[in-house]
Amino acid sequence: MGGNARAPGGKRGAGVESPYEKLSKWMIDISGDRGVLKNIIREGVGELVTEDASVLVKYSGYLANMDKPFDSNCSRKTLRLMKLGKDITLWGMELGLLTMRRGELARFLFKPAYAYGTLGCPPLIPPNTTVLFEIELLDFLDSAESDKFCALSAEQQDEFPLEKVLKVAATEREFGNYLFRQNRFYGAKDRYKRALVLLRKRSAPPEEQHLVEAAKLLVLLNLSLTFLKLEQPARALHFGEQALVIDQKNAKALFRCGQACLFMTEYEKARDFLVRAQKEQPFNHDINNELKKLACHYKNYMDKEKEMCHRMFVPYDDNGSTAGGN
């Protein structure tokens, strides 16, 4: 990609087009004034990015006389969500993202007014510079609707149809999932709890209650796992048991509860939950491995108990030392 952006060495003669001028001739104008031009390299799927969305992107920015990008996040191990209108500083990039779909890879040319302006960004970017960006849209989440809804009173929220509440709760859970994947467990926990509060507050007619319960189950399972990651097994067990109230045979809930009890060295309870989980999914490697782990921990625990009992009842001689001791 850098090779396509590179300008020939030395000064251009009169009438010689720059690489970006050549490139621009077959790119699509998305700003209306040819200030932002686009070429799709790989088509995306689904809906277009919405305003106020938070986007997960890979990007690299190039100057016409450089092979290597002057700015890129492609080498980062963990990408962060960037909110439109807040975290993205280039106007051209924001306009470009609004034309993209999930999975899309596109190349953009940003004229100075849509990039770094008349001043540029010294010393790297000269004044009045057109820049090229390659952007891959991995995912996006739209929390604007969710934020507005959560700011309403309970009475105002009740005026909306159940479908709206379920959609907002799903958005909160998706944000939680994203934060969880980044190992930001406290942030994930807060998003999951926000979704759970919405679902608990909402009453539904009997014929639709199963939709609420199904949504709650997913959130409760996520909360249980998140508290395990936070090393708070009592809370993990609490939410796992709430999930079992909804679905008493749910293997994930039984597994989470078993993990939490093992963490708290409540071996009998751990065994009960894990055996029930194994009954639902006999060939689940995670469940079977956890049972092996439990057996190992329990054996070590019993060995220590026996050693302690032995020491308690070994007879002492008149000098206060154990019989036969040194």
Side-chain angles (χ1 to χ4, degrees):
M1 135 78 209
N4 293 335
R6 185 178 179 87
K11 295 183 180 180
R12 297 193 306 270
V16 178
E17 292 181 315
S18 72
Y20 285 179
E21 288 171 338
K22 292 179 180 178
L23 188 63
S24 68
K25 290 183 177 180
W26 47 273
M27 298 179 80
I28 301 169
D29 177 13
I30 64 170
S31 60
D33 60 359
R34 299 197 63 78
V36 180
L37 303 175
K38 176 181 179 181
N39 169 235
I40 297 176
I41 300 172
R42 184 183 66 230
E43 295 281 354
V45 296
E47 300 176 351
L48 294 173
V49 172
T50 54
E51 293 184 9
D52 296 320
S54 295
V55 297
L56 190 66
V57 299
K58 288 184 178 180
Y59 64 83
S60 296
Y62 295 84
L63 299 177
N65 60 346
M66 295 176 64
D67 275 332
K68 295 182 178 180
F70 65 84
D71 185 20
S72 177
N73 71 345
C74 292
S75 61
R76 295 176 189 171
K77 290 183 179 180
T78 303
L79 301 175
R80 68 181 184 91
L81 282 172
M82 297 187 293
K83 190 169 182 64
L84 298 182
K86 180 181 178 183
D87 299 319
I88 297 173
T89 56
L90 294 185
W91 186 18
M93 183 179 288
E94 184 140 342
L95 291 178
L97 284 166
L98 290 171
T99 69
M100 298 184 74
R101 307 175 193 274
R102 287 182 179 87
E104 182 178 327
L105 175 63
R107 180 180 291 142
F108 296 90
L109 279 178
F110 303 145
K111 296 293 179 63
Y114 292 87
Y116 299 95
T118 57
L119 299 179
C121 190
L124 189 59
I125 300 172
N128 292 310
T129 299
T130 295
V131 294
L132 183 145
F133 269 80
E134 276 195 0
I135 302 174
E136 181 180 8
L137 178 64
L138 303 176
D139 199 2
F140 72 90
L141 297 169
D142 185 3
S143 66
E145 183 180 26
S146 174
D147 293 338
K148 291 176 184 176
F149 185 83
C150 291
L152 299 174
S153 67
E155 292 76 15
Q156 291 172 317
Q157 290 177 1
D158 285 340
E159 296 175 2
F160 287 86
L162 177 61
E163 182 182 358
K164 173 80 168 183
V165 179
L166 294 175
K167 181 180 179 182
V168 171
T171 298
E172 291 298 316
R173 186 170 61 85
E174 288 172 5
F175 263 94
N177 291 345
Y178 170 78
L179 294 168
F180 184 95
R181 289 192 294 270
Q182 287 200 318
N183 296 326
R184 295 162 61 183
F185 301 123
Y186 282 101
K189 173 203 67 176
D190 291 341
R191 287 289 186 172
Y192 293 144
K193 281 191 170 182
R194 192 164 154 176
L196 188 59
V197 167
L198 286 173
L199 294 168
R200 281 177 168 169
K201 287 194 302 185
R202 183 57 185 247
S203 58
E207 64 272 15
E208 293 184 329
Q209 186 61 34
H210 70 282
L211 298 174
V212 178
E213 296 301 297
K216 282 167 60 177
L217 179 61
L218 293 175
V219 176
L220 289 167
L221 289 171
N222 288 354
L223 276 168
S224 183
L225 179 58
T226 302
F227 277 109
L228 282 172
K229 294 293 186 181
L230 291 171
E231 298 186 354
Q232 298 181 33
R235 298 295 290 162
L237 177 61
H238 170 75
F239 288 109
E241 288 180 325
Q242 287 191 15
L244 289 172
V245 171
I246 298 173
D247 180 3
Q248 63 180 349
K249 293 186 177 182
N250 187 280
K252 282 188 177 180
L254 291 165
F255 180 56
R256 302 277 183 263
C257 290
Q259 286 180 300
C261 290
L262 177 55
F263 197 109
M264 294 186 288
T265 66
E266 296 183 9
Y267 298 124
E268 293 298 330
K269 287 182 67 175
R271 184 180 182 281
D272 177 63
F273 282 121
L274 292 172
V275 168
R276 288 166 61 190
Q278 188 185 52
K279 183 179 178 181
E280 299 303 322
Q281 295 185 3
F283 304 107
N284 186 300
H285 292 296
D286 291 333
I287 296 172
N288 292 331
N289 288 337
E290 199 72 9
L291 277 165
K292 292 176 183 177
K293 181 179 174 182
L294 169 63
C296 181
H297 279 266
Y298 187 71
K299 181 180 182 300
N300 292 338
Y301 168 76
M302 292 304 297
D303 288 345
K304 288 179 181 179
E305 286 289 303
K306 289 178 182 178
E307 183 180 353
M308 186 179 297
C309 289
H310 175 73
R311 289 179 179 176
M312 288 174 63
F313 294 104
V314 169
Y316 286 81
D317 62 18
D318 292 340
N319 296 324
S321 60
T322 58
N326 294 326

